[in-house]
Amino acid sequence: METRGRHSATQEYPHPFIHEVKMTSAQRIRGVILGSVLFPVRVAMAALCFLFMWPVARLRFAGLSEEERSRPVQGWRRWLLHPIMLGLSRLAFFFLGFLWVRVKGRRAELKEAPVLVVAPHSSFMDMVSLMPTQLATVVSRSENTSLPVVGALLEFNQAVLVSRKDPESRRRAVAQVTERLTSDGYWPQMLMFPEGTTTNGSALIKFKPGAFLAGLPVQPVLLRYPNKLVNDSARMTCRCLLRVEALWHTTSQLYTNVTVEFLPVYSPSPEERKDPSLYADNVQRLMAKALGLPASDHVMEGRVPVKKLGGLSLPLESPARKTLKLLRTNNLGAQEVEAALDRMIDRCQSGGQGSKVSSEELSSILGLTDKQTAAAICDIYSKGDIVDIRPIYFTLGALSGCVGFASILHTAFTLFDAEGRGSLSAEELSDLMGALLDFPQRHTAELYAQASAGGRLTEENLLRALTTHPAYRRVASEYMKAEEPADGKAVNNNSNAYDGGGSRRDNKKLD
């Protein structure tokens, strides 16, 4: 059985959450001509199908109590209305250009695999996979219930609803999914997109553990779109397209090919049943290999693309990179940035003022004459009018090359060791790593266990874990590595990242 070892997706693989459509002039002209005819006709016919679906969906639960609605639909409401809804759904996709849905392999029976895991997930058109799965139950955002017709369809499907903004809703959804999967055939088969969001299809991002929590067999299902233009333009990660534009490109093709491939049922090992994350990782690698794609550590957290590193979450787009670019645009060179860092650390260590500053104060600290630039930097690190300058100091100091990693960690440890004990609690470590990486870190238990010795997490132990541990050393060697200038010369002596002493300037300030 494969273990936890994974590839780094930072350099080897393209960014999975950004996609740009590239079309030749001939393709654009063809799309305009065909789209002008096919788009209105196909969308109108598909809309007509959805119009017929609405009363069927409403009829399914008409006259039922809340208690009856919480149980699987049985009797005539299933054997009569389910085939009608399935037929109308297939007809809608037919009108949208999916003339054929090729199916490979055999769909497992409910008791063989109570959940189907589908990947890659790159478009709203991926719901075509519901056709060969006989409208399996899905998990959806609760916000979708307010959409016309869609809400009725989710009710018909008896979907598990979850609000991503509400932790309690997520907990209820996990409990509901687990209950259904372990119902021994009482609830119908479920279909889940374990990536949890749409990508550009260049890699399979890290699977969320929801489908694997019950420790039961799953059936992997692969989605393929042979039409290259549709495959490119319908992706929901495309920068340049709105949903209506993606729909235009899809419907302006004469037809769209799609293949739904059912792989053999995957039965978890005893180790995987105990560890849903390991189970999810192994299924991800299996499906990635079958698709000929890399399996990456990328994941979407709070609408921010990150890379998972043990329990840590590293933003794919460094806020310091944007900040440094803004500072250089305002003609702040290396000396001005270093002076600004000095003012930041002075402000952080001043007992009365603290580390929270307004946009106007940030402008003064950075030495900016343009207050709009300061406001833009403030917005990068905080969505409010007040920003904590500690993350700015840590990330900007590392990327600019003005401060070595060991020195940054020493500064951070000193600032977060509020009582001066010489050690950090688990909560303080979480806060420190959140500031160091400028992203909330909610799962630092693994790092705490790795770095603490004798129940104490000291600066020396934390530095050792972050610079020698095979996984966590990437925090220093990759994420907080100094940016190389255009001439290829090192910005400063950031090779001192592991010397434990940092720069003389910072040591003087912290003594």
mmCIF file of all heavy atoms in Angstrom, residues 258-306:
data_model
loop_
_atom_site.group_PDB
_atom_site.id
_atom_site.type_symbol
_atom_site.label_atom_id
_atom_site.label_comp_id
_atom_site.label_asym_id
_atom_site.label_seq_id
_atom_site.Cartn_x
_atom_site.Cartn_y
_atom_site.Cartn_z
ATOM 1 N N VAL A 258 -18.063 13.081 -24.129
ATOM 2 C CA VAL A 258 -17.711 12.875 -22.727
ATOM 3 C C VAL A 258 -17.671 11.381 -22.459
ATOM 4 O O VAL A 258 -18.504 10.615 -22.962
ATOM 5 C CB VAL A 258 -18.713 13.574 -21.776
ATOM 6 C CG1 VAL A 258 -20.117 13.012 -21.947
ATOM 7 C CG2 VAL A 258 -18.275 13.436 -20.330
ATOM 8 N N THR A 259 -16.674 10.980 -21.698
ATOM 9 C CA THR A 259 -16.538 9.579 -21.301
ATOM 10 C C THR A 259 -16.573 9.483 -19.794
ATOM 11 O O THR A 259 -15.825 10.182 -19.103
ATOM 12 C CB THR A 259 -15.216 8.973 -21.821
ATOM 13 O OG1 THR A 259 -15.200 9.027 -23.251
ATOM 14 C CG2 THR A 259 -15.077 7.526 -21.382
ATOM 15 N N VAL A 260 -17.461 8.652 -19.293
ATOM 16 C CA VAL A 260 -17.547 8.376 -17.860
ATOM 17 C C VAL A 260 -17.031 6.958 -17.648
ATOM 18 O O VAL A 260 -17.629 5.998 -18.134
ATOM 19 C CB VAL A 260 -18.994 8.502 -17.339
ATOM 20 C CG1 VAL A 260 -19.054 8.205 -15.854
ATOM 21 C CG2 VAL A 260 -19.546 9.883 -17.640
ATOM 22 N N GLU A 261 -15.898 6.849 -16.954
ATOM 23 C CA GLU A 261 -15.272 5.538 -16.775
ATOM 24 C C GLU A 261 -15.338 5.099 -15.305
ATOM 25 O O GLU A 261 -14.838 5.788 -14.421
ATOM 26 C CB GLU A 261 -13.810 5.559 -17.231
ATOM 27 C CG GLU A 261 -13.118 4.213 -17.081
ATOM 28 C CD GLU A 261 -11.689 4.210 -17.590
ATOM 29 O OE1 GLU A 261 -11.237 5.256 -18.094
ATOM 30 O OE2 GLU A 261 -11.020 3.157 -17.473
ATOM 31 N N PHE A 262 -15.950 3.942 -15.089
ATOM 32 C CA PHE A 262 -16.030 3.363 -13.755
ATOM 33 C C PHE A 262 -14.838 2.424 -13.544
ATOM 34 O O PHE A 262 -14.691 1.439 -14.264
ATOM 35 C CB PHE A 262 -17.334 2.576 -13.581
ATOM 36 C CG PHE A 262 -18.572 3.432 -13.625
ATOM 37 C CD1 PHE A 262 -19.293 3.575 -14.808
ATOM 38 C CD2 PHE A 262 -19.009 4.087 -12.488
ATOM 39 C CE1 PHE A 262 -20.427 4.356 -14.857
ATOM 40 C CE2 PHE A 262 -20.149 4.884 -12.525
ATOM 41 C CZ PHE A 262 -20.861 5.017 -13.710
ATOM 42 N N LEU A 263 -13.998 2.762 -12.583
ATOM 43 C CA LEU A 263 -12.873 1.901 -12.238
ATOM 44 C C LEU A 263 -13.327 0.827 -11.244
ATOM 45 O O LEU A 263 -14.408 0.948 -10.657
ATOM 46 C CB LEU A 263 -11.740 2.731 -11.621
ATOM 47 C CG LEU A 263 -11.106 3.802 -12.516
ATOM 48 C CD1 LEU A 263 -9.980 4.503 -11.760
ATOM 49 C CD2 LEU A 263 -10.604 3.222 -13.820
ATOM 50 N N PRO A 264 -12.532 -0.209 -11.043
ATOM 51 C CA PRO A 264 -12.899 -1.226 -10.038
ATOM 52 C C PRO A 264 -13.066 -0.609 -8.653
ATOM 53 O O PRO A 264 -12.434 0.397 -8.316
ATOM 54 C CB PRO A 264 -11.707 -2.188 -10.088
ATOM 55 C CG PRO A 264 -11.119 -2.010 -11.450
ATOM 56 C CD PRO A 264 -11.306 -0.568 -11.777
ATOM 57 N N VAL A 265 -13.904 -1.212 -7.864
ATOM 58 C CA VAL A 265 -14.146 -0.749 -6.497
ATOM 59 C C VAL A 265 -12.851 -0.793 -5.697
ATOM 60 O O VAL A 265 -12.075 -1.759 -5.799
ATOM 61 C CB VAL A 265 -15.227 -1.606 -5.815
ATOM 62 C CG1 VAL A 265 -15.347 -1.254 -4.329
ATOM 63 C CG2 VAL A 265 -16.563 -1.417 -6.516
ATOM 64 N N TYR A 266 -12.607 0.261 -4.935
ATOM 65 C CA TYR A 266 -11.403 0.343 -4.103
ATOM 66 C C TYR A 266 -11.794 0.041 -2.664
ATOM 67 O O TYR A 266 -12.581 0.774 -2.049
ATOM 68 C CB TYR A 266 -10.789 1.734 -4.198
ATOM 69 C CG TYR A 266 -9.444 1.887 -3.520
ATOM 70 C CD1 TYR A 266 -8.263 1.912 -4.251
ATOM 71 C CD2 TYR A 266 -9.355 2.007 -2.134
ATOM 72 C CE1 TYR A 266 -7.036 2.058 -3.632
ATOM 73 C CE2 TYR A 266 -8.132 2.150 -1.503
ATOM 74 C CZ TYR A 266 -6.979 2.174 -2.255
ATOM 75 O OH TYR A 266 -5.756 2.314 -1.623
ATOM 76 N N SER A 267 -11.269 -1.038 -2.122
ATOM 77 C CA SER A 267 -11.538 -1.412 -0.730
ATOM 78 C C SER A 267 -10.376 -0.970 0.142
ATOM 79 O O SER A 267 -9.217 -1.294 -0.156
ATOM 80 C CB SER A 267 -11.737 -2.925 -0.607
ATOM 81 O OG SER A 267 -12.877 -3.335 -1.347
ATOM 82 N N PRO A 268 -10.651 -0.231 1.206
ATOM 83 C CA PRO A 268 -9.568 0.304 2.036
ATOM 84 C C PRO A 268 -8.890 -0.765 2.877
ATOM 85 O O PRO A 268 -9.512 -1.768 3.269
ATOM 86 C CB PRO A 268 -10.290 1.321 2.929
ATOM 87 C CG PRO A 268 -11.681 0.788 3.038
ATOM 88 C CD PRO A 268 -11.983 0.168 1.710
ATOM 89 N N SER A 269 -7.620 -0.550 3.154
ATOM 90 C CA SER A 269 -6.869 -1.419 4.062
ATOM 91 C C SER A 269 -7.213 -1.037 5.499
ATOM 92 O O SER A 269 -7.833 0.002 5.748
ATOM 93 C CB SER A 269 -5.374 -1.234 3.826
ATOM 94 O OG SER A 269 -4.987 0.080 4.203
ATOM 95 N N PRO A 270 -6.837 -1.855 6.483
ATOM 96 C CA PRO A 270 -7.076 -1.469 7.891
ATOM 97 C C PRO A 270 -6.462 -0.119 8.237
ATOM 98 O O PRO A 270 -7.054 0.657 8.995
ATOM 99 C CB PRO A 270 -6.414 -2.609 8.668
ATOM 100 C CG PRO A 270 -6.491 -3.794 7.749
ATOM 101 C CD PRO A 270 -6.295 -3.217 6.371
ATOM 102 N N GLU A 271 -5.271 0.170 7.679
ATOM 103 C CA GLU A 271 -4.623 1.454 7.952
ATOM 104 C C GLU A 271 -5.443 2.606 7.367
ATOM 105 O O GLU A 271 -5.582 3.667 7.989
ATOM 106 C CB GLU A 271 -3.210 1.483 7.362
ATOM 107 C CG GLU A 271 -2.220 0.525 8.013
ATOM 108 C CD GLU A 271 -2.411 -0.912 7.569
ATOM 109 O OE1 GLU A 271 -3.089 -1.137 6.539
ATOM 110 O OE2 GLU A 271 -1.899 -1.824 8.254
ATOM 111 N N GLU A 272 -5.992 2.402 6.168
ATOM 112 C CA GLU A 272 -6.781 3.446 5.526
ATOM 113 C C GLU A 272 -8.114 3.673 6.239
ATOM 114 O O GLU A 272 -8.602 4.797 6.297
ATOM 115 C CB GLU A 272 -7.022 3.088 4.053
ATOM 116 C CG GLU A 272 -5.757 3.166 3.206
ATOM 117 C CD GLU A 272 -5.954 2.579 1.823
ATOM 118 O OE1 GLU A 272 -6.705 1.586 1.696
ATOM 119 O OE2 GLU A 272 -5.353 3.101 0.867
ATOM 120 N N ARG A 273 -8.690 2.612 6.778
ATOM 121 C CA ARG A 273 -9.948 2.784 7.516
ATOM 122 C C ARG A 273 -9.738 3.615 8.774
ATOM 123 O O ARG A 273 -10.618 4.359 9.194
ATOM 124 C CB ARG A 273 -10.535 1.419 7.877
ATOM 125 C CG ARG A 273 -11.234 0.718 6.710
ATOM 126 C CD ARG A 273 -12.096 -0.427 7.183
ATOM 127 N NE ARG A 273 -11.298 -1.546 7.666
ATOM 128 C CZ ARG A 273 -10.880 -2.547 6.915
ATOM 129 N NH1 ARG A 273 -11.203 -2.559 5.625
ATOM 130 N NH2 ARG A 273 -10.165 -3.526 7.418
ATOM 131 N N LYS A 274 -8.555 3.528 9.345
ATOM 132 C CA LYS A 274 -8.248 4.302 10.550
ATOM 133 C C LYS A 274 -7.853 5.743 10.218
ATOM 134 O O LYS A 274 -7.972 6.625 11.055
ATOM 135 C CB LYS A 274 -7.104 3.634 11.325
ATOM 136 C CG LYS A 274 -7.462 2.276 11.902
ATOM 137 C CD LYS A 274 -6.252 1.645 12.594
ATOM 138 C CE LYS A 274 -6.567 0.259 13.117
ATOM 139 N NZ LYS A 274 -5.362 -0.380 13.733
ATOM 140 N N ASP A 275 -7.371 5.944 8.992
ATOM 141 C CA ASP A 275 -6.852 7.252 8.596
ATOM 142 C C ASP A 275 -7.505 7.694 7.289
ATOM 143 O O ASP A 275 -7.016 7.376 6.197
ATOM 144 C CB ASP A 275 -5.334 7.176 8.432
ATOM 145 C CG ASP A 275 -4.693 8.541 8.198
ATOM 146 O OD1 ASP A 275 -5.437 9.503 7.909
ATOM 147 O OD2 ASP A 275 -3.453 8.639 8.301
ATOM 148 N N PRO A 276 -8.637 8.435 7.350
ATOM 149 C CA PRO A 276 -9.329 8.861 6.125
ATOM 150 C C PRO A 276 -8.459 9.683 5.182
ATOM 151 O O PRO A 276 -8.633 9.619 3.963
ATOM 152 C CB PRO A 276 -10.499 9.695 6.660
ATOM 153 C CG PRO A 276 -10.713 9.207 8.060
ATOM 154 C CD PRO A 276 -9.354 8.852 8.566
ATOM 155 N N SER A 277 -7.518 10.465 5.730
ATOM 156 C CA SER A 277 -6.649 11.275 4.870
ATOM 157 C C SER A 277 -5.729 10.392 4.042
ATOM 158 O O SER A 277 -5.499 10.650 2.852
ATOM 159 C CB SER A 277 -5.828 12.250 5.719
ATOM 160 O OG SER A 277 -6.659 13.203 6.347
ATOM 161 N N LEU A 278 -5.193 9.346 4.654
ATOM 162 C CA LEU A 278 -4.366 8.393 3.921
ATOM 163 C C LEU A 278 -5.188 7.692 2.844
ATOM 164 O O LEU A 278 -4.737 7.512 1.709
ATOM 165 C CB LEU A 278 -3.763 7.374 4.891
ATOM 166 C CG LEU A 278 -2.965 6.232 4.270
ATOM 167 C CD1 LEU A 278 -1.733 6.753 3.558
ATOM 168 C CD2 LEU A 278 -2.582 5.200 5.330
ATOM 169 N N TYR A 279 -6.408 7.304 3.209
ATOM 170 C CA TYR A 279 -7.330 6.663 2.271
ATOM 171 C C TYR A 279 -7.586 7.578 1.075
ATOM 172 O O TYR A 279 -7.469 7.160 -0.090
ATOM 173 C CB TYR A 279 -8.621 6.340 3.027
ATOM 174 C CG TYR A 279 -9.661 5.522 2.288
ATOM 175 C CD1 TYR A 279 -9.414 4.950 1.040
ATOM 176 C CD2 TYR A 279 -10.923 5.323 2.864
ATOM 177 C CE1 TYR A 279 -10.380 4.193 0.393
ATOM 178 C CE2 TYR A 279 -11.899 4.573 2.222
ATOM 179 C CZ TYR A 279 -11.625 4.021 0.985
ATOM 180 O OH TYR A 279 -12.598 3.281 0.341
ATOM 181 N N ALA A 280 -7.896 8.848 1.352
ATOM 182 C CA ALA A 280 -8.167 9.809 0.284
ATOM 183 C C ALA A 280 -6.948 10.015 -0.608
ATOM 184 O O ALA A 280 -7.058 10.074 -1.835
ATOM 185 C CB ALA A 280 -8.608 11.142 0.893
ATOM 186 N N ASP A 281 -5.760 10.104 0.011
ATOM 187 C CA ASP A 281 -4.528 10.312 -0.765
ATOM 188 C C ASP A 281 -4.256 9.151 -1.709
ATOM 189 O O ASP A 281 -3.852 9.340 -2.862
ATOM 190 C CB ASP A 281 -3.335 10.500 0.176
ATOM 191 C CG ASP A 281 -3.363 11.845 0.882
ATOM 192 O OD1 ASP A 281 -4.144 12.711 0.456
ATOM 193 O OD2 ASP A 281 -2.622 12.012 1.867
ATOM 194 N N ASN A 282 -4.484 7.937 -1.226
ATOM 195 C CA ASN A 282 -4.205 6.759 -2.055
ATOM 196 C C ASN A 282 -5.185 6.634 -3.219
ATOM 197 O O ASN A 282 -4.808 6.255 -4.324
ATOM 198 C CB ASN A 282 -4.228 5.496 -1.189
ATOM 199 C CG ASN A 282 -3.013 5.397 -0.277
ATOM 200 O OD1 ASN A 282 -1.977 5.990 -0.555
ATOM 201 N ND2 ASN A 282 -3.139 4.669 0.813
ATOM 202 N N VAL A 283 -6.455 6.965 -2.982
ATOM 203 C CA VAL A 283 -7.431 6.945 -4.073
ATOM 204 C C VAL A 283 -7.118 8.061 -5.066
ATOM 205 O O VAL A 283 -7.239 7.883 -6.280
ATOM 206 C CB VAL A 283 -8.864 7.087 -3.518
ATOM 207 C CG1 VAL A 283 -9.869 7.213 -4.662
ATOM 208 C CG2 VAL A 283 -9.226 5.887 -2.649
ATOM 209 N N GLN A 284 -6.692 9.210 -4.570
ATOM 210 C CA GLN A 284 -6.307 10.310 -5.452
ATOM 211 C C GLN A 284 -5.178 9.883 -6.384
ATOM 212 O O GLN A 284 -5.211 10.134 -7.592
ATOM 213 C CB GLN A 284 -5.872 11.522 -4.628
ATOM 214 C CG GLN A 284 -5.422 12.711 -5.468
ATOM 215 C CD GLN A 284 -4.362 13.566 -4.784
ATOM 216 O OE1 GLN A 284 -3.677 13.095 -3.885
ATOM 217 N NE2 GLN A 284 -4.229 14.808 -5.210
ATOM 218 N N ARG A 285 -4.159 9.243 -5.822
ATOM 219 C CA ARG A 285 -3.025 8.810 -6.648
ATOM 220 C C ARG A 285 -3.454 7.755 -7.673
ATOM 221 O O ARG A 285 -2.980 7.758 -8.815
ATOM 222 C CB ARG A 285 -1.900 8.285 -5.762
ATOM 223 C CG ARG A 285 -1.042 9.375 -5.153
ATOM 224 C CD ARG A 285 0.201 8.789 -4.510
ATOM 225 N NE ARG A 285 -0.131 8.135 -3.264
ATOM 226 C CZ ARG A 285 -0.097 8.717 -2.075
ATOM 227 N NH1 ARG A 285 0.229 9.995 -1.994
ATOM 228 N NH2 ARG A 285 -0.409 8.064 -0.974
ATOM 229 N N LEU A 286 -4.340 6.858 -7.257
ATOM 230 C CA LEU A 286 -4.833 5.825 -8.168
ATOM 231 C C LEU A 286 -5.549 6.457 -9.364
ATOM 232 O O LEU A 286 -5.298 6.093 -10.525
ATOM 233 C CB LEU A 286 -5.780 4.892 -7.412
ATOM 234 C CG LEU A 286 -6.524 3.858 -8.264
ATOM 235 C CD1 LEU A 286 -5.570 2.752 -8.687
ATOM 236 C CD2 LEU A 286 -7.710 3.275 -7.511
ATOM 237 N N MET A 287 -6.431 7.424 -9.088
ATOM 238 C CA MET A 287 -7.193 8.066 -10.157
ATOM 239 C C MET A 287 -6.299 8.945 -11.025
ATOM 240 O O MET A 287 -6.480 9.012 -12.248
ATOM 241 C CB MET A 287 -8.337 8.874 -9.556
ATOM 242 C CG MET A 287 -9.370 8.016 -8.822
ATOM 243 S SD MET A 287 -10.701 8.969 -8.049
ATOM 244 C CE MET A 287 -11.616 9.534 -9.492
ATOM 245 N N ALA A 288 -5.335 9.610 -10.401
ATOM 246 C CA ALA A 288 -4.410 10.451 -11.165
ATOM 247 C C ALA A 288 -3.594 9.598 -12.145
ATOM 248 O O ALA A 288 -3.379 9.988 -13.300
ATOM 249 C CB ALA A 288 -3.486 11.208 -10.213
ATOM 250 N N LYS A 289 -3.162 8.459 -11.691
ATOM 251 C CA LYS A 289 -2.389 7.562 -12.553
ATOM 252 C C LYS A 289 -3.232 7.085 -13.727
ATOM 253 O O LYS A 289 -2.759 7.032 -14.873
ATOM 254 C CB LYS A 289 -1.885 6.367 -11.744
ATOM 255 C CG LYS A 289 -1.021 5.410 -12.539
ATOM 256 C CD LYS A 289 -0.500 4.277 -11.659
ATOM 257 C CE LYS A 289 0.374 3.312 -12.470
ATOM 258 N NZ LYS A 289 0.880 2.200 -11.618
ATOM 259 N N ALA A 290 -4.498 6.751 -13.460
ATOM 260 C CA ALA A 290 -5.385 6.289 -14.528
ATOM 261 C C ALA A 290 -5.666 7.396 -15.537
ATOM 262 O O ALA A 290 -5.859 7.136 -16.724
ATOM 263 C CB ALA A 290 -6.689 5.771 -13.927
ATOM 264 N N LEU A 291 -5.686 8.646 -15.081
ATOM 265 C CA LEU A 291 -5.938 9.791 -15.960
ATOM 266 C C LEU A 291 -4.681 10.296 -16.645
ATOM 267 O O LEU A 291 -4.751 11.115 -17.562
ATOM 268 C CB LEU A 291 -6.549 10.941 -15.154
ATOM 269 C CG LEU A 291 -7.999 10.778 -14.703
ATOM 270 C CD1 LEU A 291 -8.316 11.762 -13.583
ATOM 271 C CD2 LEU A 291 -8.948 10.976 -15.884
ATOM 272 N N GLY A 292 -3.512 9.838 -16.170
ATOM 273 C CA GLY A 292 -2.253 10.347 -16.700
ATOM 274 C C GLY A 292 -1.957 11.749 -16.217
ATOM 275 O O GLY A 292 -1.306 12.540 -16.919
ATOM 276 N N LEU A 293 -2.420 12.090 -15.011
ATOM 277 C CA LEU A 293 -2.210 13.405 -14.426
ATOM 278 C C LEU A 293 -1.406 13.285 -13.138
ATOM 279 O O LEU A 293 -1.403 12.223 -12.500
ATOM 280 C CB LEU A 293 -3.561 14.073 -14.100
ATOM 281 C CG LEU A 293 -4.500 14.381 -15.260
ATOM 282 C CD1 LEU A 293 -5.827 14.895 -14.724
ATOM 283 C CD2 LEU A 293 -3.874 15.393 -16.210
ATOM 284 N N PRO A 294 -0.740 14.354 -12.720
ATOM 285 C CA PRO A 294 -0.053 14.327 -11.429
ATOM 286 C C PRO A 294 -1.056 14.465 -10.279
ATOM 287 O O PRO A 294 -2.122 15.046 -10.435
ATOM 288 C CB PRO A 294 0.878 15.540 -11.489
ATOM 289 C CG PRO A 294 0.210 16.463 -12.456
ATOM 290 C CD PRO A 294 -0.468 15.594 -13.475
ATOM 291 N N ALA A 295 -0.694 13.935 -9.134
ATOM 292 C CA ALA A 295 -1.468 14.116 -7.903
ATOM 293 C C ALA A 295 -0.750 15.177 -7.080
ATOM 294 O O ALA A 295 0.396 14.986 -6.688
ATOM 295 C CB ALA A 295 -1.567 12.802 -7.126
ATOM 296 N N SER A 296 -1.420 16.291 -6.844
ATOM 297 C CA SER A 296 -0.764 17.414 -6.184
ATOM 298 C C SER A 296 -1.273 17.608 -4.764
ATOM 299 O O SER A 296 -2.278 17.022 -4.348
ATOM 300 C CB SER A 296 -0.974 18.707 -6.987
ATOM 301 O OG SER A 296 -2.248 19.258 -6.704
ATOM 302 N N ASP A 297 -0.584 18.473 -4.015
ATOM 303 C CA ASP A 297 -0.956 18.800 -2.639
ATOM 304 C C ASP A 297 -1.818 20.053 -2.562
ATOM 305 O O ASP A 297 -2.051 20.579 -1.488
ATOM 306 C CB ASP A 297 0.310 19.026 -1.790
ATOM 307 C CG ASP A 297 1.109 17.752 -1.602
ATOM 308 O OD1 ASP A 297 0.492 16.724 -1.322
ATOM 309 O OD2 ASP A 297 2.340 17.788 -1.752
ATOM 310 N N HIS A 298 -2.277 20.548 -3.712
ATOM 311 C CA HIS A 298 -3.093 21.757 -3.721
ATOM 312 C C HIS A 298 -4.483 21.480 -3.161
ATOM 313 O O HIS A 298 -5.016 20.385 -3.302
ATOM 314 C CB HIS A 298 -3.233 22.297 -5.143
ATOM 315 C CG HIS A 298 -1.960 22.783 -5.735
ATOM 316 N ND1 HIS A 298 -1.210 22.042 -6.608
ATOM 317 C CD2 HIS A 298 -1.296 23.944 -5.583
ATOM 318 C CE1 HIS A 298 -0.137 22.720 -6.979
ATOM 319 N NE2 HIS A 298 -0.163 23.883 -6.368
ATOM 320 N N VAL A 299 -5.059 22.513 -2.550
ATOM 321 C CA VAL A 299 -6.425 22.420 -2.047
ATOM 322 C C VAL A 299 -6.967 23.839 -1.933
ATOM 323 O O VAL A 299 -6.195 24.812 -1.905
ATOM 324 C CB VAL A 299 -6.459 21.700 -0.672
ATOM 325 C CG1 VAL A 299 -5.823 22.550 0.405
ATOM 326 C CG2 VAL A 299 -7.876 21.304 -0.287
ATOM 327 N N MET A 300 -8.279 23.976 -1.928
ATOM 328 C CA MET A 300 -8.898 25.287 -1.774
ATOM 329 C C MET A 300 -9.435 25.401 -0.354
ATOM 330 O O MET A 300 -10.241 24.577 0.090
ATOM 331 C CB MET A 300 -10.042 25.461 -2.773
ATOM 332 C CG MET A 300 -10.607 26.866 -2.829
ATOM 333 S SD MET A 300 -9.510 28.055 -3.634
ATOM 334 C CE MET A 300 -9.798 27.695 -5.372
ATOM 335 N N GLU A 301 -8.986 26.416 0.383
ATOM 336 C CA GLU A 301 -9.459 26.653 1.744
ATOM 337 C C GLU A 301 -9.977 28.078 1.849
ATOM 338 O O GLU A 301 -9.227 29.032 1.645
ATOM 339 C CB GLU A 301 -8.337 26.439 2.771
ATOM 340 C CG GLU A 301 -7.955 24.989 2.963
ATOM 341 C CD GLU A 301 -6.980 24.801 4.114
ATOM 342 O OE1 GLU A 301 -6.662 25.797 4.801
ATOM 343 O OE2 GLU A 301 -6.533 23.663 4.319
ATOM 344 N N GLY A 302 -11.269 28.220 2.166
ATOM 345 C CA GLY A 302 -11.840 29.551 2.283
ATOM 346 C C GLY A 302 -11.677 30.365 1.027
ATOM 347 O O GLY A 302 -11.383 31.559 1.076
ATOM 348 N N ARG A 303 -11.832 29.735 -0.127
ATOM 349 C CA ARG A 303 -11.693 30.369 -1.436
ATOM 350 C C ARG A 303 -10.281 30.857 -1.720
ATOM 351 O O ARG A 303 -10.062 31.675 -2.605
ATOM 352 C CB ARG A 303 -12.686 31.537 -1.578
ATOM 353 C CG ARG A 303 -14.143 31.096 -1.512
ATOM 354 C CD ARG A 303 -15.086 32.214 -1.872
ATOM 355 N NE ARG A 303 -16.456 31.738 -1.874
ATOM 356 C CZ ARG A 303 -17.508 32.481 -2.211
ATOM 357 N NH1 ARG A 303 -17.315 33.743 -2.568
ATOM 358 N NH2 ARG A 303 -18.723 31.988 -2.181
ATOM 359 N N VAL A 304 -9.323 30.366 -0.966
ATOM 360 C CA VAL A 304 -7.918 30.700 -1.197
ATOM 361 C C VAL A 304 -7.182 29.422 -1.598
ATOM 362 O O VAL A 304 -7.226 28.434 -0.861
ATOM 363 C CB VAL A 304 -7.265 31.308 0.062
ATOM 364 C CG1 VAL A 304 -5.780 31.553 -0.170
ATOM 365 C CG2 VAL A 304 -7.964 32.596 0.459
ATOM 366 N N PRO A 305 -6.517 29.397 -2.761
ATOM 367 C CA PRO A 305 -5.764 28.205 -3.157
ATOM 368 C C PRO A 305 -4.503 28.052 -2.312
ATOM 369 O O PRO A 305 -3.713 28.989 -2.197
ATOM 370 C CB PRO A 305 -5.417 28.465 -4.631
ATOM 371 C CG PRO A 305 -5.473 29.950 -4.781
ATOM 372 C CD PRO A 305 -6.496 30.442 -3.798
ATOM 373 N N VAL A 306 -4.352 26.883 -1.706
ATOM 374 C CA VAL A 306 -3.191 26.632 -0.859
ATOM 375 C C VAL A 306 -2.579 25.280 -1.219
ATOM 376 O O VAL A 306 -3.174 24.472 -1.921
ATOM 377 C CB VAL A 306 -3.561 26.643 0.646
ATOM 378 C CG1 VAL A 306 -4.179 27.968 1.041
ATOM 379 C CG2 VAL A 306 -4.513 25.492 0.981
#
